[in-house]
Amino acid sequence: MRKFMYGAAVLVWMAVIIGFSNQQASDSNALSSGLSDAIATTIRVMLPGLELDAGELNRVVRKLAHGLIYLVLGMLVLGTLTKLGVRGGRGVAITLLVCVLFAVSDELHQLFVSGRSGQASDVIIDSIGASIGILLFKGAARIGASLGRERI
């Protein structure tokens, strides 16, 4: 049952990513702008007088979102493969391959969404996010192993 749950979590997360990518540019920008505005407000309260470039902050938020979304995907894919018995370097390589191919397909998909564009730089950011997710998963597994749990 756990194998099924891990696999289902990967598919659900991929659907979430596709959902974000399927947003028209105006909707996607409105979502990230709202988050950027909230962050800017918080920064202004904490650091009064600091000059913020709203456009640059929004760009940074959008890029960080790419990395974070793929960080989670990397962890979920590696967790699924681990539950299926694919471990070690092979599991890491397959996870990275799945995440990079999904990132490429996601950027290609955006070419067909109104106002959106596919960007190679986003694939790189997504791949870095997935790699960090893999490292976090492996680190957590090592900590678990040192506490007497199964080594991954």
Side-chain angles (χ1 to χ4, degrees):
M1 184 62 157
R2 280 189 158 173
K3 293 176 188 178
F4 171 77
M5 295 302 289
Y6 269 88
V10 169
L11 294 177
V12 166
W13 196 249
M14 286 177 163
V16 167
I17 293 170
I18 291 169
F20 282 128
S21 293
N22 206 40
Q23 290 179 325
Q24 292 185 3
S26 59
D27 294 336
S28 177
N29 192 52
L31 180 63
S32 61
S33 292
L35 180 57
S36 297
D37 290 345
I39 292 169
T41 299
T42 303
I43 291 172
R44 286 184 186 112
V45 167
M46 294 172 59
L47 302 168
L50 180 69
E51 295 289 325
L52 288 175
D53 180 341
E56 182 63 20
L57 180 60
N58 189 42
R59 189 183 76 74
V60 169
V61 166
R62 292 178 73 82
K63 299 308 174 185
L64 285 173
H66 266 273
L68 182 61
I69 287 171
Y70 277 83
L71 179 149
V72 173
L73 182 63
M75 293 178 78
L76 290 172
V77 171
L78 186 55
T80 300
L81 290 173
T82 300
K83 288 295 178 192
L84 294 172
V86 182
R87 299 169 191 256
R90 186 168 181 242
V92 168
I94 292 170
T95 298
L96 194 55
L97 180 64
V98 166
C99 291
V100 170
L101 290 176
F102 190 73
V104 169
S105 70
D106 184 47
E107 291 303 312
L108 290 173
H109 163 250
Q110 288 183 41
L111 293 173
F112 302 99
V113 178
S114 177
R116 301 291 294 267
S117 64
Q119 297 181 11
S121 61
D122 285 346
V123 173
I124 293 168
I125 293 167
D126 298 342
S127 300
I128 292 168
S131 297
I132 293 169
I134 290 167
L135 291 172
L136 289 174
F137 185 92
K138 295 297 277 183
R142 285 202 172 106
I143 290 169
S146 71
L147 296 174
R149 295 199 172 164
E150 177 182 353
R151 184 173 177 119
I152 298 172

